[in-house]
């Protein structure tokens, strides 16, 4: 997932949320979420769907296959 980590961070920052808030809402630990943003780990498909739903984007947008919506 070449652009996933950057897009995940962009989605979070665009909404002025902390990593902790997103992690709690999406049901992952803070350290796991941080590793997703730094590219140290890749989430499961179900976790990807949770992130996409939470941020209101498609899986293709989150994965970098399509551009993120402008806000």
């Amino acid at each position: 997932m070449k652009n996933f980590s950057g897009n995940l961070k962009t989605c979070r920052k665009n909404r002025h949320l902390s990593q902790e808030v997103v992690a709690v809402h999406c049901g992952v630990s803070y350290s796991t979420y941080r590793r997703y943003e730094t590219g140290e780990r890749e989430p499961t498909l179900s976790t990807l769907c949770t992130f996409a739903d939470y941020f209101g984007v498609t899986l293709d947008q989150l994965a970098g296959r399509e551009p993120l919506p402008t806000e």
Side-chain angles (χ1 to χ4, degrees), residues 7 9-17 68-71:
N7 285 345
K9 186 174 185 176
T10 297
C11 285
R12 178 181 62 79
K13 288 189 168 248
N14 284 348
R15 288 158 182 80
H16 308 288
L17 299 169
L68 289 171
T70 57
E71 296 183 340

Side-chain angles (χ1 to χ4, degrees), residues 18-71:
S18 68
Q19 290 177 329
E20 294 90 348
V21 167
V22 176
V24 167
H25 188 274
C26 293
V28 298
S29 71
Y30 163 71
S31 61
T32 297
Y33 182 83
R34 183 181 52 78
R35 288 184 181 111
Y36 293 151
E37 276 198 6
T38 60
E40 295 174 46
R41 266 184 92 164
E42 291 185 352
T44 63
L45 180 58
S46 62
T47 302
L48 278 172
C49 290
T50 300
F51 289 143
D53 290 344
Y54 182 71
F55 290 120
V57 298
T58 67
L59 288 175
D60 281 342
Q61 290 169 328
L62 197 56
R65 294 171 47 116
E66 293 180 5
L68 289 171
T70 57
E71 296 183 340

